[in-house]
Amino acid sequence: MVEQLGKRLAIDLDQVISLDCIDEFSSKKNPFPCPTTFRTALTHYVDICTPPRSNVIKDLAQYATDENEKAFLLNLSSNEGKSQYNDWVMKDQRHILQILEDTPSLQPPIDYLLELLPRLQARYYSIASSPKIHARSIHVCAALVRYKTRAGRPAEGVCTGWLEKMIPSETDQFKIPVFVRRNQKFRLPRRATVPIIMIGPGTGLAPFRGFIQHRAAIVREGRECGENLLFFGCRHEKKDFIYEEELKEFEKEGIIQLYTAFSRDTDKKVYVQHLMEQEALKLWELLEKGAHVYVCGDAKKMARDVHKQLLDIIQDYGKMDKTEAETYVIGLENSFRYQKDVWS
């Protein structure tokens, strides 16, 4: 994509540049580390994959030499063109290269484009390992995002698509910039004897693999440990059951109680919330014993359905009405016993 941008804008990607900030009130002399090259800036510093905001399109429109294309771009960035912007840019997921391809007369200066484009943001992933077992490495579990947009163009996740190509071998070794950010809330209870209930379909399993490894190390040290329930779901057992062997080994050791749902392998779709319903009495008893509940994964549907199921369990087995159950859940949240790490 960077090569295509260089060709479309007729620039030497390996030319050394320095972009200086002329805003006297800015705390930064440069918008990103300089000197650098156009190739490095487009690859590592600016976001060329996210559909540009309407104000960016408005600023670029002046560099369209075709009047019809200029009018089209200006309309996209106007109040009257909000619907068309949402349809043509956002729903079709057009990034800057595709906008340049679809408006051939648009030829913005590369330095101006670098100024307009947003900075490439860090991608955050849950750590899928425990230092008690993997002291010198950090594991990440991520789904490769690859699909076709509504306009029929191929698209892929910025970070997962980049990482996919970095498979080390005897001849190839890779280094990537990473940092660890502490999560002060989504963490294990201080006391290992406290039971935990983990609900994480798909890659939502990632932090729980770390939790389970941590507790497995405690058990193997001969120390007392609370119950560890894992509700995991995916579409197909044979294709999507990540860490299957490891999880079954933990189950065999008695470290976890594993409940699985494979939604496309049965006539009737079964999800993690249905497994919770089946184990409702056990979940309620653990809640009353002080268990912590963790939910990780899709925010749009899964987390909402799990939350509803949790409320139903508390109502049914706690003999509460809806308001009392909601108050009970708020109490869990306020005491950090009900924690979510979800995304849409």
Side-chain angles (χ1 to χ4, degrees):
M1 188 172 165
V2 171
E3 293 289 345
Q4 291 174 286
L5 262 175
K7 185 176 180 181
R8 171 63 180 79
L9 295 173
I11 59 171
D12 176 7
L13 288 170
D14 296 314
Q15 180 182 339
V16 177
I17 61 163
S18 184
L19 216 60
D20 298 326
C21 182
I22 59 175
D23 182 356
E24 61 184 43
F25 298 107
S26 175
S27 60
K28 294 183 179 179
K29 181 182 177 183
N30 310 104
F32 42 74
C34 290
T36 187
T37 63
F38 289 130
R39 184 186 304 279
T40 300
L42 292 168
T43 303
H44 298 290
Y45 299 145
V46 296
D47 189 347
I48 59 176
C49 297
T50 301
R53 297 167 69 95
S54 58
N55 65 298
V56 172
I57 293 176
K58 180 180 179 181
D59 290 339
L60 290 175
Q62 62 183 304
Y63 296 104
T65 56
D66 181 283
E67 291 302 319
N68 289 329
E69 290 181 0
K70 181 184 289 188
F72 172 70
L73 294 171
L74 287 173
N75 181 64
L76 287 177
S77 58
S78 67
N79 287 332
E80 296 75 19
K82 280 183 179 179
S83 176
Q84 190 174 17
Y85 167 81
N86 188 53
D87 193 63
W88 194 76
V89 178
M90 299 305 294
K91 289 185 179 179
D92 283 353
Q93 294 180 279
R94 276 181 170 82
H95 51 59
I96 187 62
L97 174 61
Q98 292 165 350
I99 289 174
L100 289 167
E101 289 173 340
D102 293 341
T103 51
S105 78
L106 182 59
Q107 194 73 20
I110 182 61
D111 55 342
Y112 190 55
L113 189 61
L114 289 174
E115 181 184 342
L116 287 177
L117 291 174
R119 301 289 82 87
L120 185 61
Q121 299 299 306
R123 265 51 178 181
Y124 296 105
Y125 295 100
S126 299
I127 294 176
S129 57
S130 168
K132 279 185 171 288
I133 291 182
H134 300 282
R136 298 182 62 83
S137 63
I138 286 177
H139 296 196
V140 169
C141 172
L144 177 62
V145 180
R146 183 171 286 145
Y147 58 97
K148 280 197 172 182
T149 67
R150 197 182 68 162
R153 284 170 156 145
E156 67 177 20
V158 175
C159 192
T160 54
W162 183 60
L163 288 173
E164 183 199 17
K165 304 172 181 68
M166 297 186 179
I167 300 174
S169 65
E170 290 184 5
T171 55
D172 296 313
Q173 297 294 318
F174 301 95
K175 289 185 177 181
I176 61 173
V178 297
F179 64 93
V180 176
R181 184 178 67 163
R182 290 183 179 275
N183 191 328
Q184 299 299 331
K185 294 181 179 179
F186 201 87
R187 56 197 308 168
L188 284 166
R190 291 183 181 275
R191 291 183 293 113
T193 53
V194 174
I196 60 173
I197 300 162
M198 300 165 283
I199 304 153
T203 56
L205 173 62
F208 302 139
R209 181 174 180 252
F211 285 7
I212 294 165
Q213 287 182 0
H214 182 88
R215 290 209 153 183
I218 289 173
V219 171
R220 289 165 184 169
E221 290 168 1
R223 294 160 54 196
E224 187 180 355
C225 188
E227 291 186 69
N228 307 296
L229 276 64
L230 173 64
F231 293 85
F232 172 77
C234 59
R235 291 190 172 193
H236 303 283
E237 180 177 9
K238 291 187 177 178
K239 292 196 297 184
D240 307 316
F241 193 176
I242 52 178
Y243 304 116
E244 178 183 3
E245 291 183 8
E246 182 178 342
L247 291 174
K248 287 184 175 179
E249 185 60 33
F250 285 136
E251 182 182 35
K252 187 177 177 182
E253 287 185 58
I255 292 164
I256 63 170
Q257 296 167 47
L258 179 62
Y259 304 93
T260 54
F262 307 108
S263 61
R264 300 301 189 272
D265 289 345
T266 53
D267 293 334
K268 183 180 179 182
K269 292 179 181 178
V270 178
Y271 298 107
V272 286
Q273 63 268 24
H274 301 128
L275 300 178
M276 292 172 63
E277 184 179 15
Q278 293 168 16
E279 300 298 325
L281 176 58
K282 183 172 186 62
L283 292 177
W284 169 249
E285 289 174 346
L286 287 176
L287 284 174
E288 286 294 273
K289 290 178 182 178
H292 286 220
V293 181
Y294 302 90
V295 181
C296 185
D298 168 55
K300 193 174 292 185
K301 185 161 175 58
M302 182 278 296
R304 185 185 63 211
D305 291 342
V306 165
H307 184 85
K308 182 180 182 301
Q309 186 59 61
L310 186 63
L311 280 171
D312 289 346
I313 291 170
I314 293 166
Q315 276 187 255
D316 293 343
Y317 290 89
K319 309 300 181 187
M320 304 179 194
D321 60 28
K322 184 178 179 181
T323 301
E324 289 171 331
E326 288 173 345
T327 301
Y328 186 97
V329 169
I330 290 172
L332 293 177
E333 291 173 332
N334 291 340
S335 58
F336 303 110
R337 287 180 54 205
Y338 179 28
Q339 301 175 44
K340 304 173 190 175
D341 183 2
V342 295
W343 56 86
S344 56

